[in-house]
Amino acid sequence: MEQVFSYIIGLGAAVMMPIIFTILGVCIGIKFSKALKSGLYVGVGFVGLSIITALLVDTMSPALSKVVEIYGLELQVFDMGWPAAASVAYNTLVGSFIIPVCLGVNLVLLLLGCTRTVNIDLWNYWHFAFIGAVIYFMTDSVAWGFFAAIICYIITLVLADVTAKKFQKFYPGMDGISIPQPFCQGFMPFALGINKCLDYIPGINKVNIDSDGMKKKFGLFGEPLFLGVLIGIIIGCLACKDWNEVVANIPVTLQIGIKMGAVMELIPRITSLFIEGLKPIAEATKELIAKKFGADKELYIGMSPALVIGHPTTLVVSLLLIPVTLILAVVLPGNQFLPLASLAGMFYVFVMVLPYTNGNVLRSFIVGLVVMAIGLYFVTWMAGDFTMAANHVAQVHPDDKTVQVPAGFQAGALDFASSPLSTAIYACMKYLKWIGAGILVVCTMALVIWNRIRINKK
């Protein structure tokens, strides 16, 4: 079983998703050729996104490393990035069986009428496996590891149901889609709460500038393309020791700027492939459910948040938060985590924030500022147990360089360790143990029952 699922996971999202979409399309009555085409569009989208993400990391990493070296910003928790977190997640007993276990839980909840989401985003199941793996090594119990992963999975399904309509209304072309990814859903309550609070702050409550408004108000300066170039040039200049080095490195600095601009411009074009691939599947699913169960019944296809990270507000706010997060990491007292490799995942913070701020750039930035400040502490807090898990995996898989923690450092990753949902589960299991497990069970069951009542009312 471990070998089978390790092989499936090893295919990667770019291969897994076309296969899943083709099978799903045929099952709901789409012609094989059309289903295959939809799947391939989604697969190509993942390939393009991985290339752009790699370009972003390759462009930023050397410059940011130089900034760290020049200004002595090194902290004790080393940024391993999401590949290390995914490797730790999947290279454990919990990770090896996470796909069949979670699919089984999803099926049971569907049959009981407790969810409307079918989570086919199998690649991102590593998020559930990650918290399960950390709890597994922390408690030395695989049962507790699966418990934590399943709790996280169920809560995420409920949140995906609750936010589906808001998500579909805000993002065009997303009918019938929900986002059952715990990293994104974990920030939704912050977006809801902070957005409500901002309504009562004079001045801020009057500012309503979205990405289109920025373009009208600031012209070229409001374009993600230009902001990408500008931020890239600033980072390139900061990576120089003095003015003479700035002058000498003008070609390199300009290259960094152009590449950052390219990332900002290409991400929306690539994510449009996801929508093109999803549309036939979503329409056919809607027609099938209406035909079999009536027009009032709904089923959501749980997909990756990568579908919508190309939104202009996400690009602008993520770009502005990259340097701000670095400053926060240095000035916040008690923080030991300096994000570098994880900064490429900044786009995913805002997927479920924008529907609640209605794409308002200022409000989205404030929400991002708050969650990043809190997230840095969460990563620092979880670093000890993350390091223990990474060291265990490194012993079993010595050839896997992604999980090798540098000597003298602890391991951290912004991508999921900063998620409020995973941190809440981690805190309950670490400090409250059986009482914490009881609290998690009661809260999860209450959410499931409430979601079932909500679904039945509709």
Side-chain angles (χ1 to χ4, degrees):
M1 287 288 286
E2 185 178 352
Q3 289 178 350
V4 168
F5 286 106
S6 294
Y7 177 78
I8 293 171
I9 292 161
L11 293 173
V15 176
M16 286 171 63
M17 297 313 290
I19 294 172
I20 293 168
F21 263 74
T22 304
I23 295 171
L24 179 63
V26 171
C27 288
I28 60 177
I30 299 177
K31 289 182 179 179
F32 174 78
S33 58
K34 193 174 181 180
L36 179 61
K37 187 178 179 181
S38 291
L40 289 175
Y41 270 127
V42 174
V44 169
F46 275 109
V47 171
L49 202 56
S50 66
I51 292 171
I52 295 301
T53 304
L55 175 63
L56 180 62
V57 173
D58 292 344
T59 301
M60 285 200 309
S61 292
L64 292 177
S65 298
K66 200 86 181 290
V67 172
V68 170
E69 182 185 330
I70 292 170
Y71 298 100
L73 305 180
E74 205 167 77
L75 299 174
Q76 292 301 308
V77 180
F78 183 78
D79 188 358
M80 305 286 284
W82 76 263
S87 188
V88 168
Y90 278 139
N91 285 301
T92 62
L93 188 60
V94 176
S96 298
F97 291 88
I98 197 69
I99 291 178
V101 168
C102 285
L103 285 176
V105 170
N106 200 162
L107 179 61
V108 170
L109 291 176
L110 282 167
L111 292 174
L112 293 175
C114 297
T115 185
R116 284 176 169 173
T117 295
V118 182
N119 187 359
I120 65 168
D121 184 21
L122 300 186
W123 170 248
N124 277 321
Y125 274 40
W126 75 262
H127 287 267
F128 310 110
F130 174 79
I131 189 61
V134 171
I135 299 300
Y136 166 41
F137 287 113
M138 184 182 79
T139 60
D140 197 26
S141 168
V142 69
W144 282 124
F146 275 114
F147 170 80
I150 291 168
I151 288 289
C152 186
Y153 188 77
I154 293 172
I155 293 173
T156 303
L157 283 178
V158 173
L159 292 176
D161 283 348
V162 171
T163 59
K165 285 298 180 185
K166 197 90 172 172
F167 171 81
Q168 293 164 16
K169 183 180 179 181
F170 181 77
Y171 293 104
M174 290 292 120
D175 291 343
I177 304 298
S178 66
I179 303 295
Q181 199 219 38
F183 180 71
C184 297
Q185 292 293 352
F187 298 120
M188 181 274 293
F190 284 85
L192 184 62
I194 294 171
N195 192 56
K196 287 285 184 185
C197 291
L198 293 176
D199 286 337
Y200 298 99
I201 300 178
I204 291 179
N205 59 6
K206 301 295 182 184
V207 178
N208 187 22
I209 301 178
D210 58 11
S211 54
D212 291 331
M214 278 194 67
K215 292 175 187 176
K216 291 176 183 176
K217 192 173 182 65
F218 301 107
L220 180 63
F221 291 92
E223 294 277 356
L225 169 60
F226 181 79
L227 284 172
V229 174
L230 184 62
I231 296 292
I233 290 173
I234 292 171
I235 291 172
C237 291
L238 289 174
C240 300
K241 293 180 181 178
D242 50 40
W243 179 251
N244 291 332
E245 193 172 341
V246 170
V247 174
N249 284 336
I250 285 176
V252 176
T253 301
L254 291 176
Q255 284 183 12
I256 294 172
I258 293 298
K259 287 179 180 178
M260 289 286 282
V263 170
M264 295 301 109
E265 186 67 22
L266 290 174
I267 284 179
R269 297 174 188 266
I270 288 170
T271 52
S272 66
L273 290 170
F274 290 119
I275 298 172
E276 198 167 343
L278 276 171
K279 197 170 182 181
I281 301 289
E283 288 175 354
T285 303
K286 197 171 182 179
E287 288 175 10
L288 180 66
I289 293 167
K291 184 179 177 182
K292 296 287 185 182
F293 304 106
D296 59 329
K297 297 290 183 182
E298 285 185 293
L299 192 69
Y300 306 135
I301 300 173
M303 279 296 298
S304 168
L307 302 178
V308 293
I309 63 167
H311 192 280
T313 299
T314 295
L315 297 175
V316 169
V317 177
S318 299
L319 198 61
L320 294 174
L321 267 180
I322 287 174
V324 173
T325 303
L326 289 173
I327 296 170
L328 283 175
V330 176
V331 301
L332 287 176
N335 172 62
Q336 289 298 315
F337 177 66
L338 182 68
L340 292 174
S342 293
L343 289 174
M346 188 75 74
F347 304 109
Y348 295 90
V349 171
F350 298 98
V351 168
M352 294 311 305
V353 170
L354 264 56
Y356 290 88
T357 61
N358 202 29
N360 186 304
V361 173
L362 178 61
R363 290 180 178 232
S364 301
F365 180 82
I366 293 171
V367 174
L369 192 65
V370 173
V371 300
M372 282 297 99
I374 296 171
L376 291 172
Y377 284 116
F378 285 167
V379 178
T380 302
W381 188 19
M382 201 184 291
D385 289 310
F386 185 11
T387 304
M388 180 171 60
N391 288 337
H392 275 281
V393 173
Q395 289 175 5
V396 179
H397 301 278
D399 296 332
D400 189 350
K401 301 301 181 186
T402 61
V403 294
Q404 303 291 335
V405 184
F409 288 90
Q410 289 185 311
L414 192 67
D415 298 70
F416 191 52
S418 66
S419 168
L421 180 53
S422 66
T423 307
I425 296 170
Y426 171 77
C428 284
M429 297 302 297
K430 186 174 180 68
Y431 298 106
L432 300 177
K433 297 180 182 176
W434 282 97
I435 296 174
I439 292 170
L440 289 172
V441 169
V442 170
C443 291
T444 304
M445 289 301 297
L447 280 173
V448 168
I449 293 168
W450 171 76
N451 196 41
R452 190 177 189 279
I453 293 169
R454 189 183 66 87
I455 290 170
N456 287 339
K457 278 185 178 179
K458 289 188 176 182

